[in-house]
Structures are given as C-alpha cells and as structure tokens.
Amino acid sequence: APAARAQGASSDAKQPARPQEVAPARHAEPAFVEPQRTSQAVLAATRIRDGDALMRERRYREAAFAFLDAKHAAPEHVEARFKLGNALAVLGYYGRAIDEWEQASRLTQDAAIRQSAQDNITRARAKQTEAGTAPQAVGQTPGSGPVADTTRAQARRAYEQGVQHISQRAYAAALQTLTQAVQQEPLLTVAYVARGSANIGLRRYAEAAADYQFALKLDPDSASPLYGLAEAYRALGRNLEARDLYARYAASSAADVRPELQAESRQKAERLR
C-alpha cells in the first residue's frame, strides 16, 4: 500500500506530573463478555491485554494508546471503551474518559458494567471540577494538544525511517519505527498509512485495516488509506467492501493519489464483481 508524504499534524497534550487515579485504584472492573471472534475483535482483545499489562506497570499513557488501538479495531467493543476511559482518567483526561464510559454504557445491557461506568463518571466529574480549565479536563485527548518541535522532528524522522524500511521490505523494523512515530505525534496521518503498509507486509491484515481506518478518520479526503484498506479487506475475505474501496480510490482526485494504482484499482474492483 502507498506510504504518503509527511504532512502537518497536531500533537501531544502535556500529561500531569502526578496523575490521580479515578477508576483503576478504587474499583474492580466488571466482568466483560467476549465479543464475536472476528479478526477485528481478536486484534482488539490483543491490544486490551497489552493495555492491561501496561496499566499494571503504571505506564498509563502507553496503556491509553493500546486501548485506543483496540477501540479503533472494534468501535463497539465495550471493554475497550471502558478501559480506555480508565486510562484517560488516570492521565487527567476526565472529559474524554466520561465520553468513553458513557458510550460503553450505551453499548451494553449489563447492569454491572453500567453501574461501574456511572460510578466512574461521578468521580471523574468531581475531579473535572477540581481541575478547572486544564486541557485534559475540558475534553482534549492525548495527542490533541501542542507538540514540542523537537518531538515533532523525532516523529518525522521515525516516519521517514519507517518508509525507508518498507522500501527495503524490512517490515518488522518499519513497524517498530512507525509505532514510535505515532506515539510521538499521535495525529500524524501518514504514519498510520505507512504502518498499515508495514502490517500488510507482515500479513497482519486486521492490524493494517485498523491503521488505515484511523488514517481515514484523521483525513477523510486522503486517498492512500482507501487503497491500503481495500488491500487489507481483500486479504481478509471482505471482498464487497474491498471492491467499493478500490472503486473509490480509482475515482479519487486527492493530492496523494497515484495514477498507476488507480489503474490497478479499477482492475481489482472489476475482478471482485
């Protein structure tokens, strides 16, 4: 899949020096029912396990990104949203944590989960009042605040290194450096596109799809994620969705579209009819 040229993106909010825990330290989490084992649900479950381990190690910011990956893979995954709320609350992002818990409550009929979410929301609102107008408290997410120039430069270097690794078919190395790029600048769209390409190279098609889907959410007018997501869906056997994405790429006039891939997309869309 094509890796797009680096473009401007916004960045990382400062996390508090001593974050106060809201849910993890005071309440046991409710029991969650495992969703249907689709490829996206499997990816979500894997990233949730990663997030759980990071929370135990008090690496809260990394845990938040793991749970965010899980939510990107399966937006209706109750456990992913609930635990993302926990991690965001620990970091002081009370407004965003409340949003995740409210959404988790809407997605489940489980009374225990709904009650736990409401308990957490009540505590978070109290903390939100104490925090006043802090960027986290008013609803900003990790990665939505200003990024230091040095951090942005590091992210762009990691992105460029990842693209170079992809050109050399060193996909595992690319995955590592591109993950560093998105951790340093979480709204860098092209890094998600490139990481999708690395995942395609590693035959990690569900992971690739999640990256391309998030890239499209960040930049709905871009073309590169369309082609990459079509490739991932075709590999996952989701041919009708792949066909539509190939057709969208073939018809795109976005700045990052590539004529040779447009021609290829037309052929692939026709074969999938």
Side-chain angles (χ1 to χ4, degrees):
R5 184 165 49 90
Q7 48 188 262
S10 58
S11 44
D12 199 22
K14 182 179 179 182
Q15 63 178 354
R18 297 183 62 186
Q20 293 185 326
E21 299 189 12
V22 174
R26 300 178 183 174
H27 289 283
E29 291 172 344
F32 292 96
V33 176
E34 189 75 11
Q36 183 181 4
R37 301 295 286 177
T38 64
S39 58
Q40 298 297 94
V42 170
L43 172 56
T46 299
R47 295 302 284 145
I48 287 169
R49 287 195 296 271
D50 294 340
D52 288 342
L54 291 163
M55 289 292 283
R56 288 192 294 270
E57 296 171 10
R58 296 182 178 270
R59 295 162 62 183
Y60 300 122
R61 187 173 184 278
E62 294 171 74
F65 282 112
F67 295 134
L68 192 60
D69 282 345
K71 188 184 86 166
H72 293 160
E76 297 188 358
H77 199 300
V78 174
E79 185 177 3
R81 286 186 176 272
F82 191 100
K83 291 183 174 180
L84 175 58
N86 287 353
L88 290 170
V90 173
L91 293 168
Y93 294 92
Y94 303 120
R96 293 299 303 140
I98 289 169
D99 289 345
E100 296 300 336
W101 288 323
E102 288 179 338
Q103 186 62 25
S105 293
R106 285 192 288 268
L107 290 170
T108 185
Q109 298 299 317
D110 189 299
I113 295 174
R114 285 182 165 182
Q115 186 60 56
S116 294
Q118 187 55 55
D119 290 344
N120 289 348
I121 289 168
T122 299
R123 289 185 179 85
R125 283 180 175 151
K127 293 291 185 181
Q128 195 173 30
T129 300
E130 294 174 12
T133 59
Q136 299 98 319
V138 297
Q140 293 185 10
T141 56
S144 62
V147 166
D149 289 341
T150 53
T151 302
R152 180 176 289 107
Q154 290 172 355
R156 302 310 170 93
R157 284 196 297 271
Y159 162 71
E160 291 168 2
Q161 186 179 6
V163 171
Q164 183 176 6
H165 285 318
I166 290 172
S167 70
Q168 298 167 349
R169 300 183 183 274
Y171 299 119
L175 182 64
Q176 181 177 0
T177 55
L178 290 164
T179 297
Q180 292 172 0
V182 298
Q183 288 176 344
Q184 290 162 340
E185 192 169 350
L187 302 186
L188 184 59
T189 304
V190 291
Y192 288 97
V193 175
R195 195 171 71 169
S197 299
N199 277 315
I200 289 280
L202 292 168
R203 301 179 185 272
R204 293 159 47 100
Y205 302 118
E207 289 87 343
D211 278 337
Y212 292 128
Q213 287 165 343
F214 190 56
L216 276 174
K217 183 176 180 180
L218 291 175
D219 187 2
D221 295 327
S222 61
S224 298
L226 294 173
Y227 183 87
L229 188 55
E231 292 283 276
Y233 279 171
R234 184 165 62 91
L236 290 167
R238 298 169 64 173
N239 290 342
L240 292 179
E241 293 164 288
R243 183 189 66 189
D244 291 344
L245 287 162
Y246 284 130
R248 286 173 60 188
Y249 186 89
S252 176
S253 58
D256 61 333
V257 76
R258 290 166 51 179
E260 70 275 17
L261 289 181
Q262 283 185 304
E264 183 179 311
S265 292
R266 291 187 192 96
Q267 295 171 2
K268 288 182 176 180
E270 187 63 31
R271 287 199 295 267
L272 290 174
R273 288 189 182 278

